[in-house]
């Protein structure tokens, strides 16, 4: 089974980084919070997660030494754009560690959002009809927000906590509903549904997310919950990459 | 067409982007890193290669003419010779693997000795050491027995290049030896056609385009003679009807207008039923049966008294109305052809079935007709000198005192008047012959152009037989199961590394096989090996081997040509073949076009006294097939990826044919509780095969099909469950009867 | 008007011999485990006789190639004559084209660590020769056509068992296989 771990970690970690940066940007709009938190540590987390994600992506390449040439095809390739945008995102995160300013914080957030959108387009190939749509973008955006709201120091803050609970509910429903929706589709969709439903990482991931949701509801300490969300996202992402059927696997057979 | 933005402008965009410094995180890197190099698309230049002529030497109808492209002393790729209208620029899936065979890491690279047979403890030795050991053994046998009959040769169709008959020559040059003779392939049909027509001689397959009706009976050209398919398609497009009669819904059947799934071994009954209907309708070609044939009235009486269409239908499983309709269509379409496949005669009644079909075609007036014919095969283009084969025994050699020496369908040496002869053993009973061998016992076996452990019948018995042998030498390219059962293996050249010449038993083209590259590793061709052995023998005992000790393989190839060959192919010298293969100049594309037959009566013999003398019916009467002793009838025919045991071991082929299967009917499988792709045990009283099953109604309910092949990584071997039961005919022309390898029975259980 | 080269697969003539696929390996000197052209048997739900009708497919040289849009290093080029060429030397092996092509045309060379695919033997076409696979077909089931020259209404673009990707507009055209009349006891 090829779980595409470089892509799993690349997407999950960059999404965590974007999520945290969005919460941080939201906080910038609320002056009462200033001074309560260690912004430097938070932006350091964002930078480290984004960098680890980008590093992980290198393991996906046959020739990582020439990784920079992946930025060549900006005019055609969402993958090129994805690399560039996350590079810029990481760059602003780095600046925010040392010289945080509203401009740089919002710049990071904007590139982060762009990154998620582009990622949603990159991993929605025409060859995988069940996810050749807005599904990846929705999963990625929800994952980013769930990760962001559960991994920040502000996770215990009331507004964030409510938001997180709500987002987790949506993410779990979306992920769990997908295979059941596909069951009503064509052969390729049905077979993908069967693969997802029989995938151990998938159900493991859902379990992690549900557990995190329960903790969020009863207001438990956040670090375990944050890690649970991360684990849930990573496990479900493994299924996303490994068990979503490609049209080429059924050539000669009915679709 | 919607034009896409050219690549260069996209690159321009990126360069601009970079120079503007927008790409923040990647700033500071040399921009050259980011710009892909323009791929220089070189145009293919055929003139940049040295071209060599090769020929596929396998046991195949198509015997392709190959054009080999060499650069820097390395074979770069091969293609079909465009000069041959038969090969027409295309090889087959097997032929295209040849460059990989040449450069395969799996090849036997140098002579090796195995410390104990089957142990796998191979040690590299020099050619001199190998020949020293072998010659010692041969001299030892001669000393012990007073003759060399304890030395045996088994060789068949692994390489049909004419100079490879030098292996037989090598044996003769040592003295009188034991030879495994006959052929597992096609002997019953050969004898059948000899009884009927006086020879096996088919029309030019390229004239099939003229046929208005084609019955492909027990042949599967889509897999076994792909190049003939284009003529069948052309005939179809000109309005011919194509009918396939076969127990398996083959690939050829899928391309026919009509497919008849006949019960196994009942083709003779069907042919006789058709003959009877022809008679009833008065559609017999009276000119042919009265002026060009003998015994027709007696045959007609036999038909009237013993055969009805309904009876035939009962036996073969084809509805009577279909039999009648086809007979009428066939008789009214002129010319109409029947292609008699080799599979159909691999039965205990195989020869009788071929004779019945011949008779039907003859009655319909399609013998000696362009676009017609009862097509089986021919050897009309094989009139070489057999210089390598014909070697004299050493002075004073003692041999087998018997009526006749060994024969083979490719044995063109003619009759010998010597006092002694070689001892002939039946190639189709290799195991039994070795076990029964005495006075003197067979002690040493030389194996070349053959893989007995993949191809000889009753594999388990063969294991026992080989245990009895003192010494086994294999001449091979790969570490086959036979090599595993050998003491010494000698590396032999591939087609690219040797000189020879090849003809086909189906089409009428002649191909040169040039040495395109120097032999890899320490490989040598068969006649060079013979010369080396001769050197070792004569050094120890001068005069003990008459084979020349120094040979030039190219010169020996030239020595195979004669004026007859030059005249037949309209060439002045063998060198003309360097410009491409040549086709025989035929007065007519039809065999027997003069209707002068080669039978004793010089006519077509519906009634053959010769046949009767040899212990069979004079008339092509119905003969029942072997009775089953297990629930499934087993067929083990060819697959397109293999030629017998060759090709499937090549890693390139594993891309397309990684695993064998047993094919069984869904209903039979259901009764046995077998689901698709389940692993099953196919077994009978002599052995078993464990393999995955595929369910398909391409096969009959009482039939199981496994395609023969040798996989380098699997133990799969159909010969585990194929016994050595003889076919009816074959002994007359090939020295031994054929083998009923399609009259086999197995049971199947889920593992 | 420029050419629009395309493969025409006559499934009615195709005997599933795999000669095309092996000829490709032979001419293009592919790595032992690499195939650029594959012959896919049709499922019995599509053709009733098992393993008796086939789709011989390599790259479909699409009008709007998914590979070209997926490749971050611009290693794909769509030529004027329609041929989609992959430049191995600039490929960094990200496999995004492999994920993206619905037809499985690009494949990963695990030794060289880059993607590669059928180039329609453009080096041969430029020299006035046929692609190796086309030359190798013993039944002329696989031919090279110019879509600007043929009457497209005679051919199928999306036979059963072949992903229908209208946005990509793959260039390969097909003739469907016929079935023999079957007589059984």
């Amino acid at each position: 089974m090829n779980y595409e771990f470089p892509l799993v970690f690349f997407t999950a970690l960059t999404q965590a980084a974007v999520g945290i940066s969005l919460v941080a940007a939201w906080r910038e709009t609320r002056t009462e919070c200033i001074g309560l938190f260690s912004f430097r540590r938070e932006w350091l987390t964002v930078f480290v997660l984004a960098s680890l994600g980008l590093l992980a992506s290198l393991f996906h390449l046959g020739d990582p030494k020439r990784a920079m040439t992946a930025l060549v095809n900006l005019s055609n390739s969402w993958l090129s754009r994805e690399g560039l945008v996350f590079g810029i995102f990481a760059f602003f995160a780095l600046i925010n560690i040392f010289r945080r300013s509203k401009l740089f914080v919002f710049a990071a957030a904007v590139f982060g959002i762009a990154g998620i959108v582009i990622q949603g387009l990159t991993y929605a190939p025409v060859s995988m009809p069940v996810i050749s749509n807005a599904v990846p973008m929705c999963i990625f955006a929800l994952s980013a927000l769930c990760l962001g709201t559960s991994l920040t120091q502000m996770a215990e803050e009331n507004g964030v906590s409510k938001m997180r609970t709500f987002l987790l509910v949506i993410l779990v429903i979306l992920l769990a509903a997908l295979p059941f929706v596909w069951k009503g589709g064509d052969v390729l969709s049905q077979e993908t549904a069967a693969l997802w439903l029989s995938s151990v990482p998938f159900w493991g991931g859902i379990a992690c997310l549900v557990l995190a949701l329960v903790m969020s509801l009863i207001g438990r300490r956040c670090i375990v919950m944050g890690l649970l969300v991360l684990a849930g996202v990573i496990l479900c992402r493994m299924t996303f990459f490994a068990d979503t059927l490609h049209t080429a696997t059924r050539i000669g057979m009915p679709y | 067409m919607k034009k896409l933005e050219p690549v260069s402008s996209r690159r321009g965009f990126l360069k601009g982007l970079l120079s503007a410094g927008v790409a923040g995180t990647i700033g500071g890197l040399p921009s050259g890193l980011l710009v892909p190099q323009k791929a220089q698309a070189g145009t293919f230049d055929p003139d940049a290669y040295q071209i060599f002529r090769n020929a596929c030497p396998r046991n195949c109808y198509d015997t392709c003419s190959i054009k080999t492209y060499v650069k820097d002393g390395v074979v770069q790729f091969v293609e079909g010779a465009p000069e041959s209208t038969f090969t027409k620029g295309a090889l087959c899936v097997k032929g295209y693997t040849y460059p990989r065979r040449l450069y395969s890491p799996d090849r036997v690279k140098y002579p090796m000795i195995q410390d104990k047979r089957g142990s796998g403890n191979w040690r590299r030795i020099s050619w001199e050491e190998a020949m020293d050991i072998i010659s010692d053994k041969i001299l030892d046998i001669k000393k012990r027995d007073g003759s060399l009959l304890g030395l045996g040769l088994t060789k068949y169709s692994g390489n049909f290049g004419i100079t490879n008959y030098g292996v037989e020559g090598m044996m003769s040059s040592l003295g009188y030896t034991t030879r495994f003779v006959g052929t597992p392939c096609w002997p019953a049909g050969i004898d059948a056609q000899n009884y009927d027509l006086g020879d096996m001689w088919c029309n030019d397959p390229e004239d099939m385009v003229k046929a208005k009706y084609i019955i492909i009976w027990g042949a599967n050209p889509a897999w076994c003679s792909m190049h003939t398919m284009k003529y069948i398609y052309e005939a179809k497009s000109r309005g011919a009807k194509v009918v396939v009669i076969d127990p398996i819904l083959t690939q050829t059947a899928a391309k026919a207008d009509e497919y008849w799934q006949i019960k196994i071994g009942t083709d003779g009954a069907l042919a006789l039923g058709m003959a009877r209907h022809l008679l009833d309708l008065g559609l017999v070609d009276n000119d042919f049966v009265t002026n060009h044939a003998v015994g027709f009235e007696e045959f007609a009486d036999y038909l009237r008294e013993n055969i009805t269409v309904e009876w035939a239908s009962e036996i073969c499983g084809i509805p009577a109305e279909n039999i009648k309709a086809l007979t009428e269509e066939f008789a009214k379409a002129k010319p109409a052809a029947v292609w008699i496949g080799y599979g159909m005669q691999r039965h205990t009644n195989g020869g009788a079935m071929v004779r019945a079909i011949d008779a039907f075609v003859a009655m319909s007036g399609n013998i000696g007709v362009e676009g017609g014919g009862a097509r089986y095969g021919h050897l009309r283009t094989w009139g070489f000198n057999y210089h390598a084969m014909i070697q004299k025994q050493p002075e004073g050699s003692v041999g087998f005192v018997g009526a006749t020496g060994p024969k083979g369908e490719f044995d063109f040496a003619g009759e010998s008047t010597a006092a002694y002869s070689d001892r002939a053993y039946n190639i189709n009973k290799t195991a039994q012959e070795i076990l029964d061998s005495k006075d003197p016992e067979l002690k040493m076996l030389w194996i070349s152009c053959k893989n007995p452990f993949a191809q000889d019948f009753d594999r388990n018995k063969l294991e026992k037989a080989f245990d009895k042998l003192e010494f086994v030498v294999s001449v091979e390219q790969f570490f086959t199961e036979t090599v595993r059962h050998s003491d010494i293996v000698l590396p032999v050249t591939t087609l690219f590394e040797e000189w020879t010449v090849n003809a086909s038993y189906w089409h009428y083209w002649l191909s040169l096989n040039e040495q395109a590259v120097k032999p890899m590793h320490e490989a040598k061709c068969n006649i060079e090996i013979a010369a080396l052995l001769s050197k070792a023998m004569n050094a120890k005992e001068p005069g003990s081997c008459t084979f020349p000790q120094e040979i030039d393989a190219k010169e020996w190839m030239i020595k195979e040509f004669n004026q007859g060959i030059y005249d037949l192919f309209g060439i002045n010298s063998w060198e003309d073949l360097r410009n491409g293969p040549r086709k025989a100049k035929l007065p007519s594309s039809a065999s027997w076009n003069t209707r002068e037959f080669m039978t004793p009566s010089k006519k077509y013999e519906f009634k053959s006294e010769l046949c009767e003398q040899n212990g069979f019916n004079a008339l092509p009467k119905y003969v029942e097939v072997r009775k089953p002793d297990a629930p499934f009838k087993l067929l083990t025919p060819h697959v397109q990826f293999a030629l017998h045991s060759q090709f499937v071991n090549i890693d390139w082929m594993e891309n397309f044919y990684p695993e064998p299967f047993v094919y069984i009917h869904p209903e039979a499988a259901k009764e046995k509780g077998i689901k698709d792709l389940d692993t099953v045990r196919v077994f009978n009283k002599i052995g078993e095969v464990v393999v995955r099953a595929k369910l398909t109604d391409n096969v009959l309910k009482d039939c199981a099909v496994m395609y023969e092949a040798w996989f380098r990584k699997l133990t799969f071997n159909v010969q585990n469950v194929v016994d050595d039961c003889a076919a009816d005919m074959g002994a007359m022309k090939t020295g031994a009867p054929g083998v009923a390898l399609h009259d086999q029975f197995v049971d199947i259980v889920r593992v | 008007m420029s050419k629009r080269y395309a493969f025409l697969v006559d499934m009615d003539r195709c005997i599933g011999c795999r000669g095309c696929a092996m000829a490709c390996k032979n001419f293009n000197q592919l790595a032992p485990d690499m195939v650029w052209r594959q012959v896919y048997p049709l499922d019995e739900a599509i053709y009733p006789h098992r393993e008796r009708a086939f789709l011989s497919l390599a790259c479909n040289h699409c009008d709007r190639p998914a590979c070209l849009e997926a490749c971050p290093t611009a290693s794909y080029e769509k030529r004027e004559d329609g041929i989609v060429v992959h430049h191995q030397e600039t490929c960094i092996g990200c496999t995004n084209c492999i994920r993206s092509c619905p037809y499985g045309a690009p494949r990963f060379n695990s030794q060289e660590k880059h993607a590669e695919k059928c180039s329609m033997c453009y080096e041969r076409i430029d020299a006035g020769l046929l692609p190796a696979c086309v030359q190798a077909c013993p039944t002329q089931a696989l031919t090279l056509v110019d879509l600007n020259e043929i009457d497209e209404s005679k051919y199928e673009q999306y036979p059963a068992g072949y992903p229908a990707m209208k946005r990509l507009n793959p260039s390969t055209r097909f003739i469907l296989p016929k079935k023999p009349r079957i007589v059984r006891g």
Side-chain angles (χ1 to χ4, degrees), chain B residues 171-369:
Chain B
M171 298 304 276
S172 295
S173 74
L174 290 164
Y176 294 102
T177 56
T178 297
R179 307 286 182 87
F180 285 85
V181 304
T183 149
C185 181
W186 56 343
I190 293 179
D191 275 12
Q193 290 226 313
N194 272 278
Y195 294 133
D196 296 336
L197 302 143
D199 193 12
M200 166 183 70
W201 181 22
C202 63
N203 282 29
D204 178 359
E206 297 177 48
D207 89 344
M208 224 179 275
V209 297
K210 296 179 188 167
K212 295 278 182 286
Y213 208 96
I214 300 173
I215 298 178
I216 302 172
W217 204 324
N220 184 11
W223 280 7
C224 305
S225 181
M226 292 162 203
H227 296 80
T228 309
M229 288 304 284
K230 59 179 171 280
Y231 305 113
I232 294 168
Y233 284 166
E234 176 61 20
K236 246 176 118 169
S237 73
R238 294 186 192 180
K241 180 170 176 178
V242 177
V243 180
V244 169
I245 302 175
D246 203 301
I248 305 172
L249 196 166
T250 60
Q251 187 61 60
T252 310
K255 298 300 168 194
D257 294 299
E258 199 165 307
Y259 163 63
W260 288 12
Q261 190 160 43
I262 188 174
K263 289 184 194 166
I264 295 170
T266 65
D267 310 76
L270 174 60
L272 292 172
M274 287 158 67
R276 168 69 200 260
H277 194 58
L278 217 51
L279 201 61
D280 289 353
L281 289 175
L283 289 171
V284 175
D285 182 329
N286 283 319
D287 171 55
F288 185 86
V289 300
T290 47
N291 299 323
H292 304 288
V294 294
F296 178 71
E297 274 318 313
E298 283 160 274
F299 180 52
D301 288 343
Y302 167 74
L303 291 176
R304 284 188 202 100
E305 284 157 28
N306 299 280
I307 305 293
T308 65
V309 175
E310 289 67 28
W311 166 87
S313 166
E314 187 74 20
I315 290 177
C316 72
I318 302 297
E321 62 269 31
N322 294 96
I323 300 175
K324 288 177 181 167
L326 179 137
T327 306
E328 287 161 41
E329 287 171 8
F330 187 90
K332 285 172 184 164
K334 283 258 163 58
V338 176
W339 181 344
I340 304 169
Y342 303 140
M344 205 206 47
Q345 48 92 53
R346 290 168 188 156
H347 290 280
T348 52
N349 58 351
M353 296 205 288
V354 172
R355 288 201 69 206
I357 296 174
D358 283 349
F360 167 71
V361 179
M363 285 164 72
S364 75
N366 278 299
I367 301 272
V369 176

Side-chain angles (χ1 to χ4, degrees), chain B residues 13 113 194 200 255 302 371 376 460 473 520 563 614 654 731:
Chain B
F13 164 72
I113 188 163
N194 272 278
M200 166 183 70
K255 298 300 168 194
Y302 167 74
Y376 187 73
N460 288 329
V473 178
M520 293 289 289
Q563 199 55 44
N614 286 337
E654 288 171 347

